[in-house]
Amino acid sequence: MNALDLVNPATGEVFGSIPVGRESEVDTAVQNAAKAFTTWRRSTPMERQAALLAIADALQARADEFADLECRETGKDRAVMLSDEIPQSADVFRFFAGAARTLPGASAGEYLAGHTSSLRREPVGVIAQITPWNYPLMMAVWKIAPAVAAGNTVVIKPADTTPSSTVLLGELAADFLPEGVVNVVTGDRDTGRLLVAHPVPAMVSITGSTRAGIEVARAAADTLKRTHLELGGNAPVLVFDDVDVVSAADGIIAAAFYNAGQDCTAATRVLVQERVHDEFVNALVARAKAAKTGPLNSAVQLERVLGLMDRLPGHAVVHCGGKRLGDRGFFLEPTVVSGLRQDDEIVQEEVFAPVVTVQRFGTEEEGVTSANGVPQGLASSVWTTDAGRVARVSIDLDFGCVWVNTHGPLAAEMPHGGFGQSGYGKDLSMIGLEDYTRVKHVMTKLA
């Protein structure tokens, strides 16, 4: 197979194709990155900053082009793309442009008589990167910006269903970076496997499913590559009985259905304290019925979610949705399901669709236990007016992020990443930049 069809998920129609990179294409991209690394690693922080700032400006100047490409491949709302995702992507480039000049770790001192020690924080090398289909442009930026800011070169493979905005980003970056610093290779899972297995990259960074992360970690182990894994989520939303039901339901539905629920931090696993359970379910249902969401990414994703709905246990109550919407494109009706138990498949699995599951709990301890009772540990939120409860629960929740009375906001200065089967490694922030560096000790004998 030399090409893959590109399908508009809003219509189900094929509108183009992409080349499938095989061994020769992957090797060419990696060798280009390796050659570029010999000089880019010696670039100054000032030079890296200037390049990343220029890329950020160019990205915003060409926002319409990026929005057109990404919306055609994802079915996203164009206005949201222009108001949220593209400005956020430019902001990430600008953050890491500044971070390139403030990388921590340099120190010197005499720790052994007659010797001076110093630490160097260096780039790792060629970085193999794999991105998902839910936020193609934004995830490419999250990968490329810190790696390049730290002095690495990259070979990035976007998802096979949503490659075009990453290809355009690579072309844009080439206007401001030396040849070979950023390389894009398109293709299917086999293309990704070839990239991960290639002997030259020193590190593999992937955002994707837990299954994909496990496969990458296994393959990377053969050559002891470093791995940076940002994997699936299954975010609990703990709603206590002192909340304002209306405002909490508004915020949770917005965070659950954003991008058609195809978000690793989506607020779709809702746990509600008993006293307000029924009232809160009614509020969620009313808002779900009024919601409009975009399509799922593909026919495969739609069938997967419909399969979860078909296999719901007898005690589950489907209040609304749960079925395909229309016969054109890959839409699912906004869905609310209650009456669920902790071991139900739809609770344990990341759904990745406009589906809200609801469980009830009694005590604070019961709520935290249910929240933590899944393999993933990426994000969570707590909804309460009790400050003491916030302090206790935020400590006890086993997730990389805990939001309080909100769900979903991100800042470039703060790390994004999880625990357990949500992987390890942080995107964004200075911590994310450090993940793309290695530390060297240099000891010099005094006279």
Side-chain angles (χ1 to χ4, degrees), residues 36 45 57 75 106 163 253 284 297 315 350 414:
D57 290 343
I253 284 293
L284 292 176
N297 173 255
H315 52 263
E350 181 182 29
M414 290 291 108

Side-chain angles (χ1 to χ4, degrees), residues 17 20 22-23 64 81 129 141 162 174 180 191 198 201 255 259 307 325 338 347-348 364 367 374-375 378 380 427:
S17 64
V20 177
R22 289 301 182 229
E23 191 167 358
D64 286 327
M81 184 79 191
Q129 301 181 323
V141 171
T162 56
T191 308
H198 197 287
N259 201 34
L325 180 62
S338 72
V347 170
Q348 294 294 314
E364 180 179 305
V374 295
L378 181 59
S380 59
D427 290 323

Side-chain angles (χ1 to χ4, degrees), residues 232-240 252 255 263-271 367-374 376-384 390 392-410 415-419 422 426:
N234 193 358
V237 180
L238 272 171
V239 180
F240 287 91
I252 290 167
D263 188 316
C264 55
T265 64
T268 53
R269 189 164 62 94
V270 180
L271 300 103
V368 170
T369 297
S370 295
N372 287 339
V374 295
Q376 308 89 350
L378 181 59
S380 59
S381 64
V382 181
W383 299 72
T384 182
V390 168
R392 293 188 301 272
V393 172
S394 61
I395 292 170
D396 291 339
L397 284 172
D398 195 21
F399 296 83
C401 176
V402 180
W403 286 292
V404 179
N405 295 326
T406 188
H407 193 110
L410 297 171
H416 175 81
F419 311 140
S422 291
K426 300 292 186 181

Side-chain angles (χ1 to χ4, degrees), residues 127-319:
I127 313 295
Q129 301 181 323
I130 298 173
T131 54
W133 44 255
N134 57 335
Y135 294 105
L137 174 62
M138 198 156 61
M139 294 299 98
V141 171
W142 285 20
K143 297 296 183 197
I144 292 170
V148 170
N152 302 283
T153 58
V154 305
V155 180
I156 187 166
K157 191 202 88 67
D160 54 4
T161 57
T162 56
S164 298
S165 59
T166 303
V167 172
L168 180 59
L169 181 63
E171 293 172 354
L172 183 152
D175 291 337
F176 306 101
L177 294 168
E179 181 180 354
V181 173
V182 173
N183 307 268
V184 181
V185 59
T186 60
D188 54 14
R189 288 180 181 176
D190 287 338
T191 308
R193 292 181 180 112
L194 289 168
L195 179 58
V196 173
H198 197 287
V200 169
M203 176 176 169
V204 182
S205 175
I206 179 174
T207 296
S209 67
T210 298
R211 175 205 56 76
I214 290 170
E215 183 176 343
V216 163
R218 285 197 183 110
D222 289 340
T223 49
L224 287 179
K225 291 180 176 69
R226 288 172 60 172
T227 54
H228 179 283
L229 309 178
E230 201 279 279
L231 309 178
N234 193 358
V237 180
L238 272 171
V239 180
F240 287 91
D241 62 11
D242 58 346
V243 299
D244 181 304
V245 168
V246 172
S247 62
D250 284 341
I252 290 167
I253 284 293
F257 291 169
Y258 187 88
N259 201 34
Q262 296 172 123
D263 188 316
C264 55
T265 64
T268 53
R269 189 164 62 94
V270 180
L271 300 103
V272 186
Q273 200 160 25
E274 285 177 339
R275 190 176 68 83
V276 294
H277 176 273
D278 292 349
E279 181 185 2
F280 204 83
V281 169
N282 290 337
L284 292 176
V285 171
R287 285 152 184 77
K289 287 181 176 179
K292 293 183 178 180
T293 66
L296 299 186
N297 173 255
S298 64
V300 172
Q301 176 65 3
L302 178 60
E303 285 303 313
R304 175 187 166 274
V305 177
L306 290 174
L308 287 170
M309 298 303 301
D310 288 342
R311 295 190 298 275
L312 284 174
H315 52 263
V317 179
V318 179
H319 295 270

